[in-house]
Amino acid sequence: MDRKNFRRVGGNSNSNRGRGFRNVGFVALIILVGLIVYAAYNQPSELEPKPLSEVVQQANNGEVESINITGNKLEVTKKGEEEPTIESRKEPGSSIYEQGLEQGVTTVNVQEESNSGSTWANIAISLLPVLIITGVLFFMLRSAQGQGNQAMSFGKSKARLYGNEKDKVSFKDVAGSAESKQDLEEVVEFLKYPKKFESVGAKIPKGVLLVGPPGTGKTLLARAVAGEANVPFFSISGSEFVEMFVGVGASRVRDLFAKAKKNAPCIIFVDEIDAVGRRRGSGMGGGHDEREQTLNQILVEMDGFEQGQNVIVLAATNRADVLDPALLRPGRFDRRVNIGLPDRKDREAILKVHFKKKPLTDDVDLDALAAKTAGSSGADLQNIANEAAIVAAHHDRKTINQNDVTAAFEKVAIGPERKSKIMSEKEKDITAYHEAGHAIVGHVLPDSDMVHKVTIIPRGGTGGVTWFIPPEDKSYHSIIEFKDVLARMLGGRIAEEVVYGTDRVTTGAGNDLQKAAELARDMVINQGMGKKLRNQVFHVEDGMMLDKLVHEREYSDETAKIIDDEVEHLVTEAAHRAREVIKANKDKLEALKDALVKHETIEADDVHKVLEGSHMPKSAALY
């Protein structure tokens, strides 16, 4: 979601910045004055200091041309020199002749001491502490005044107002999401032509809830609605309502809706509304905690006694299941727009938008990239486009070629290569056997996805990667498909076991085993795909910590034991099938392992050539 193009309209950021500069400048001026006074009255003398007795002795010996006396200070010019080079001091109230100077041996010039310089110096030195203390007090008072103003505005809304920017977002700037845009076009009509609907007795919706996974463009669609309707757009995050002080969030809600009503017709956009709109009664603060008071105020503002305000609230969340039912009822969020992950056609359109301003070579195939990015969100596709530009710039190229796009896709999907990690020959062999096991099992089993790439170069947090990509987008998965995926996940560990023995398997399969256990448990408790518990679901909604502590699970200990047995059976069955496939195709395992050690990375076509002739034994079939 392209939030970086937001531009703030209004506010007092410039005045705050100017006030800060004035305070800093005032303190700097005080310091500068102090340094000037110090430098003016503490100049180091260039004359050589000597005691008066030595000066008198040199004068009596005829070595002194003249002595200039100013007050008690003596400046001595020696014979053969034009300027004084020696300084000394005499006792106050006494004559230099009383100190032993003989008459006529040198010229003595006596001048009256001027007290004006010392007077001004004393005044400046006396005033300097006063000026410093006054400046510090002034700075503290200004700071206290600023904090007071901040305290007075503590209950004010922090929503940012948009609507006057030059480059407004419209529906044509949002690729894909055709159904979602169609639903939101009605909202634009409500804002543009309210009387058209009021004339036939229709009520304008109060709120529209945008629901979808992260990165699918919920915020971008909300901005497009405001841009199409050409109305002010207040944007705020749900977390900005909640503070440590009770009542502040409710005050900010009141202030936000008051501003919106003054600018009606307009849109209020609340991003991540689940931060403040969670189901009441599930927290530890009872009914009087800050979050619930804020939610209560939102409910009142959206559907209270005041009617006829042309203000529509758009809210975005990826956790609609945790929202309070009162927030979702008609009269509050009247409409719910589901924004799912883009399909292949939409992904190609999104990629074209993000690559539009990037120089591409003729060999770049965005359609092929769209086919390989199943399950990616719009934000993922934007990231791939940006990474491709970074790769091209890193190689000092002015255009982006197909290799740059492929490298960017793989970096985003499976992590960057870690070529600096050095593996021993034994570790390379183990990794090659492990990845070859994944590839063979996935290649042989009929309902598994296709092998896209196999590499033993460490990527991200893995020692190697066997990458499978479905040939087309899928909305549903069968039990047979899940069982093939389980066997594929265990193929690496079973390959190590077949080659090195049961007691010499390594920790390289840790992540595979964890994912296999999660998939098997999801099949049993969420999808009803167990053998004994077929068509029974035991899913527990994710809630707050207090929910998990207070609410008991909805099934007995006996059922929990059966669930554990079902999960164990699925994993054991998958391991058995993987073992039978690898044993029946051990020659292909060795061939693929050798190819990986030699080339480190093998693409799909080469993998299929190496595994040509591999087969699935009857012992690995499902019955």
Side-chain angles (χ1 to χ4, degrees):
M1 284 168 279
D2 192 8
R3 297 179 180 168
K4 64 183 179 180
N5 291 329
F6 278 5
R7 181 167 61 89
R8 182 171 182 173
V9 179
N12 59 350
S13 59
N14 291 333
S15 61
N16 290 337
R17 192 181 300 115
R19 188 184 304 122
F21 285 144
R22 287 195 296 271
N23 291 337
V24 174
F26 186 79
V27 175
L29 181 62
I30 293 175
I31 295 174
L32 180 62
V33 170
L35 292 175
I36 292 174
V37 172
Y38 177 82
Y41 293 98
N42 289 274
Q43 293 277 352
S45 176
E46 296 179 356
L47 303 180
E48 180 184 0
K50 282 190 177 183
L52 182 59
S53 58
E54 186 174 344
V55 171
V56 170
Q57 183 178 358
Q58 289 180 358
N60 292 336
N61 293 336
E63 300 175 8
V64 175
E65 180 70 27
S66 63
I67 299 176
N68 296 326
I69 302 176
T70 305
N72 296 319
K73 183 179 178 181
L74 282 70
E75 293 183 353
V76 180
T77 302
K78 300 185 71 174
K79 286 187 176 181
E81 296 178 356
E82 297 180 357
E83 298 291 335
T85 57
I86 298 173
E87 69 174 1
S88 183
R89 299 188 69 85
K90 66 181 183 64
E91 292 292 332
S94 63
S95 169
I96 191 172
Y97 295 104
E98 296 176 358
Q99 307 296 326
L101 180 65
E102 298 177 1
Q103 294 284 344
V105 296
T106 186
T107 303
V108 177
N109 301 316
V110 180
Q111 299 177 358
E112 293 293 330
E113 183 179 12
S114 176
N115 294 326
S116 60
S118 60
T119 302
W120 284 109
N122 292 333
I123 293 175
I125 293 173
S126 300
L127 289 177
L128 184 61
V130 177
L131 291 174
I132 293 176
I133 294 173
T134 303
V136 171
L137 290 175
F138 179 76
F139 179 75
M140 292 174 64
L141 289 173
R142 290 292 297 271
S143 300
Q145 183 181 2
Q147 293 176 0
N149 293 336
Q150 185 178 2
M152 293 297 292
S153 63
F154 198 61
K156 299 295 182 181
S157 168
K158 295 183 179 180
R160 290 153 304 274
L161 174 63
Y162 305 99
N164 296 327
E165 59 269 22
K166 295 180 181 179
D167 299 328
K168 293 183 179 180
V169 179
S170 62
F171 284 139
K172 67 180 181 181
D173 300 317
V174 183
S177 305
E179 294 81 5
S180 303
K181 287 192 287 188
Q182 186 176 356
D183 293 337
L184 292 173
E185 281 174 358
E186 294 185 3
V187 177
V188 175
E189 257 194 295
F190 294 146
L191 292 167
K192 278 188 172 181
Y193 314 110
K195 293 182 180 180
K196 172 183 175 181
F197 298 92
E198 292 173 358
S199 62
V200 294
K203 291 185 178 179
I204 297 176
K206 297 289 185 66
V208 179
L209 185 65
L210 307 178
V211 182
T216 50
K218 297 184 290 294
T219 303
L220 189 61
L221 277 170
R223 291 178 59 203
V225 172
E228 290 283 348
N230 196 25
V231 296
F233 178 76
F234 289 91
S235 176
I236 192 169
S237 171
S239 62
E240 293 184 56
F241 289 118
V242 183
E243 291 284 354
M244 64 180 294
F245 303 109
V246 176
V248 173
S251 174
R252 289 179 178 175
V253 171
R254 289 191 294 271
D255 183 65
L256 172 61
F257 277 85
K259 289 179 180 177
K261 291 169 186 176
K262 291 178 181 178
N263 291 274
C266 71
I267 292 175
I268 295 175
F269 176 63
V270 184
D271 199 5
E272 305 296 346
I273 194 173
D274 52 278
V276 71
R278 285 178 176 264
R279 187 178 292 109
R280 288 170 293 181
S282 60
M284 300 182 67
H288 298 284
D289 68 334
E290 165 66 358
R291 185 185 58 78
E292 294 192 2
Q293 283 201 24
T294 306
L295 174 58
N296 292 340
Q297 190 63 45
I298 293 176
L299 298 176
V300 172
E301 293 289 347
M302 289 190 69
D303 190 23
F305 286 103
E306 189 174 1
Q307 301 291 330
Q309 296 292 337
N310 196 6
V311 175
I312 294 180
V313 180
L314 293 181
T317 182
N318 50 19
R319 293 294 309 277
D321 55 313
V322 303
L323 295 179
D324 193 271
L327 199 62
L328 302 177
R329 73 160 176 82
R332 300 226 167 88
F333 282 102
D334 305 274
R335 300 199 167 198
R336 176 167 173 166
V337 178
N338 291 304
I339 306 172
L341 294 171
D343 57 19
R344 178 172 176 173
K345 182 180 178 182
D346 289 342
R347 290 197 298 272
E348 184 179 1
I350 294 171
L351 286 170
K352 287 180 179 179
V353 170
H354 292 307
F355 278 103
K356 184 177 181 180
K357 297 182 179 180
K358 295 178 173 61
L360 302 178
T361 58
D362 295 335
D363 63 335
V364 175
D365 189 352
L366 296 182
D367 179 65
L369 179 60
K372 293 190 293 186
T373 52
S376 298
S377 66
D380 295 328
L381 299 176
Q382 182 184 14
N383 194 23
I384 291 172
N386 185 59
E387 286 292 340
I390 291 174
V391 172
H394 181 70
H395 291 90
D396 298 323
R397 286 194 293 270
K398 300 296 183 181
T399 57
I400 302 171
N401 58 34
Q402 182 62 37
N403 292 332
D404 299 331
V405 174
T406 301
F409 168 52
E410 294 177 355
K411 182 178 180 180
V412 172
I414 57 178
E417 291 185 349
R418 294 186 295 143
K419 293 185 178 180
S420 60
K421 183 178 180 181
I422 300 175
M423 291 193 296
S424 64
E425 294 299 323
K426 183 178 180 181
E427 286 182 334
K428 279 188 177 181
D429 288 345
I430 293 173
T431 305
Y433 277 122
H434 184 101
E435 301 305 332
H438 286 305
I440 288 177
V441 175
H443 178 79
V444 168
L445 295 181
D447 291 286
S448 174
D449 297 328
M450 297 175 59
V451 179
H452 175 68
K453 175 178 286 191
V454 185
T455 179
I456 61 172
I457 297 175
R459 301 193 73 124
T462 64
V465 176
T466 303
W467 195 358
F468 296 88
I469 292 181
E472 57 185 3
D473 292 355
K474 293 182 179 180
S475 300
Y476 305 103
H477 298 275
S478 65
I479 297 176
I480 295 176
E481 289 175 344
F482 277 146
K483 287 188 173 183
D484 282 3
V485 172
L486 279 174
R488 191 178 76 200
M489 288 178 174
L490 297 176
R493 165 58 68 88
I494 300 303
E496 294 182 29
E497 180 183 312
V498 170
V499 174
Y500 296 106
T502 306
D503 295 333
R504 291 189 178 273
V505 295
T506 67
T507 58
N511 189 44
D512 299 330
L513 299 178
Q514 180 182 353
K515 289 184 177 179
E518 291 174 356
L519 176 58
R521 186 164 293 276
D522 180 72
M523 290 173 63
V524 175
I525 67 174
N526 293 334
Q527 309 301 334
M529 293 180 174
K531 199 168 186 179
K532 296 180 180 179
L533 301 174
R534 183 64 56 88
N535 302 328
Q536 299 182 54
V537 177
F538 306 93
H539 178 60
V540 178
E541 292 287 344
D542 294 332
M544 299 182 66
M545 183 62 68
L546 191 61
D547 290 335
K548 298 178 181 179
L549 295 175
V550 174
H551 296 121
E552 298 180 358
R553 69 182 180 209
E554 298 177 352
Y555 49 89
S556 64
D557 292 338
E558 290 78 7
T559 303
K561 178 64 169 61
I562 296 175
I563 291 174
D564 292 339
D565 293 341
E566 292 269 30
V567 172
E568 182 184 1
H569 171 74
L570 286 171
V571 174
T572 303
E573 180 188 58
H576 168 74
R577 297 180 70 210
R579 186 178 294 105
E580 294 302 315
V581 169
I582 290 174
K583 284 183 177 180
N585 299 277
K586 193 170 181 182
D587 57 332
K588 301 297 182 182
L589 177 72
E590 293 290 342
L592 187 55
K593 170 259 179 184
D594 292 338
L596 283 170
V597 171
K598 181 178 180 181
H599 301 289
E600 292 188 337
T601 299
I602 304 178
E603 299 294 336
D605 293 338
D606 296 327
V607 173
H608 294 157
K609 289 179 182 178
V610 174
L611 298 181
E612 187 176 357
S614 57
H615 65 285
M616 186 178 75
K618 292 183 178 180
S619 56
L622 290 170
Y623 299 101

